[in-house]
Amino acid sequence: ISEAIMSFTLKQLRDRIINDLDLQEETWVINSEIDEFINDGIEEAESEIHTIYEDYFLVENPAITITAGDNTIDYPADIYANKIRKIVFSEGSNTGASHTIRRIKDLADAKHLDIFDTSDNSRLWWSPINDAVNGRKIRLFPAAGRNGLVHIFYLRNAKRLALDTDVLDIDEFQRFVRQVAMTKILLKDGDVRAEDSVALQEKYRKQLQTTLMTMAPDDDNEIESDYSHYDDSYGGEIS
């Protein structure tokens, strides 16, 4: 099996780095630092992936059960920059009674729904909110709501590795992740090999970018994203 498509645990990545850099007897860099550098590499790879081909991280969360009166739900814990592709409502196993929960553009319309739409068969809409007590939530309109299931399709973060048994979930790019960590270690030590490591890191970065650019998306790849973190800064919607 090619190394590029193997699954690597945190311990395996760390051990490879220690062996490649002959760090077995060294004490100036400890395992927790190496782990931190590995996660730095994951973060760099994640940024490249989201810039070039974010569908790599497209996922559907487990269905969320709501009942009439439930008007807020949590964002998925591993969502990246609150980017939502689509939210769908369904009435349990009755898949025929389903609809897309679209993001509402005018909050005046949202409050109108809260006040006047008290039906138990309402079409749902959503908007991001962020209060000081509960933080970021997905607000459903109308507030009366209805019984059923909510499915969120969203873009997730790359998994950060904390335990030795945690598995890297961007297998194709493990060389890049590992090289980022090795560069950071060599720079920390002032090692003359750091320059060569940087060059190899950038070689792997280009390979990563090429791989992502050749992943052809489906015809329909329009993303309905949550840009509320931009709205706060610029004072308006981004269409």
Side-chain angles (χ1 to χ4, degrees):
I1 299 175
S2 169
E3 181 188 76
I5 59 173
M6 288 175 60
S7 294
F8 282 80
T9 65
L10 175 59
K11 184 178 187 305
Q12 288 171 327
L13 289 168
R14 187 198 313 123
D15 288 347
R16 287 292 301 272
I17 291 168
I18 290 172
N19 289 332
D20 288 348
L21 296 181
D22 297 322
L23 299 175
Q24 293 88 344
E25 305 301 324
E26 301 293 344
T27 58
W28 55 269
V29 61
I30 58 178
N31 285 354
S32 60
E33 287 180 288
I34 299 174
D35 294 350
E36 181 180 347
F37 294 149
I38 289 170
N39 280 297
D40 288 343
I42 293 172
E43 185 173 353
E44 281 201 41
E46 175 187 72
S47 178
E48 295 282 354
I49 293 167
H50 278 287
T51 299
I52 298 172
Y53 183 58
E54 58 188 0
D55 273 12
Y56 184 98
F57 286 125
L58 181 62
V59 67
E60 178 187 3
N61 75 319
I64 300 168
T65 300
I66 60 170
T67 58
D70 291 342
N71 58 19
T72 60
I73 56 178
D74 293 330
Y75 280 95
D78 62 346
I79 193 170
Y80 180 86
N82 294 329
K83 288 191 173 184
I84 289 174
R85 167 67 61 85
K86 180 177 285 188
I87 306 179
V88 176
F89 171 84
S90 66
E91 290 185 344
S93 60
N94 184 5
T95 55
S98 64
H99 65 264
T100 297
I101 305 177
R102 300 194 179 280
R103 181 170 176 179
I104 200 158
K105 300 299 182 183
D106 188 336
L107 289 179
D109 291 340
K111 295 309 294 180
H112 180 90
L113 289 171
D114 270 354
I115 295 169
F116 296 107
D117 190 346
T118 58
S119 167
D120 60 2
N121 195 36
S122 302
R123 174 173 288 273
L124 297 175
W125 298 76
W126 76 278
S127 179
I129 59 172
N130 186 4
D131 67 58
V133 176
N134 298 306
R136 289 192 181 274
K137 298 283 184 179
I138 295 170
R139 170 68 150 88
L140 299 176
F141 298 93
R146 58 192 296 187
N147 300 328
L149 301 174
V150 173
H151 311 261
I152 304 175
F153 298 83
Y154 65 98
L155 301 173
R156 67 171 177 84
N157 289 305
K159 181 180 178 181
R160 299 315 192 259
L161 308 182
L163 303 176
D164 279 357
T165 54
D166 285 348
V167 177
L168 183 69
D169 65 358
I170 49 174
D171 301 341
E172 300 94 332
F173 312 125
Q174 65 84 17
R175 283 194 178 98
F176 174 74
V177 169
R178 187 154 42 93
Q179 202 64 43
V180 169
M182 291 171 67
T183 297
K184 288 178 176 291
I185 292 168
L186 293 170
L187 288 172
K188 172 184 169 68
D189 190 38
D191 194 303
V192 294
R193 294 175 292 172
E195 184 176 348
D196 288 339
S197 183
V198 169
L200 189 54
Q201 173 183 311
E202 293 313 301
K203 173 187 173 182
Y204 290 148
R205 187 191 303 276
K206 287 182 172 59
Q207 291 177 354
L208 178 156
Q209 293 168 343
T210 299
T211 299
L212 292 169
M213 286 187 287
T214 59
M215 291 182 177
D218 295 334
D219 291 336
D220 181 11
N221 68 334
E222 179 180 349
I223 293 179
E224 184 177 339
S225 299
D226 175 357
Y227 287 110
S228 59
H229 51 303
Y230 294 128
D231 298 346
D232 294 340
S233 301
Y234 292 95
E237 291 276 348
I238 296 178
S239 59

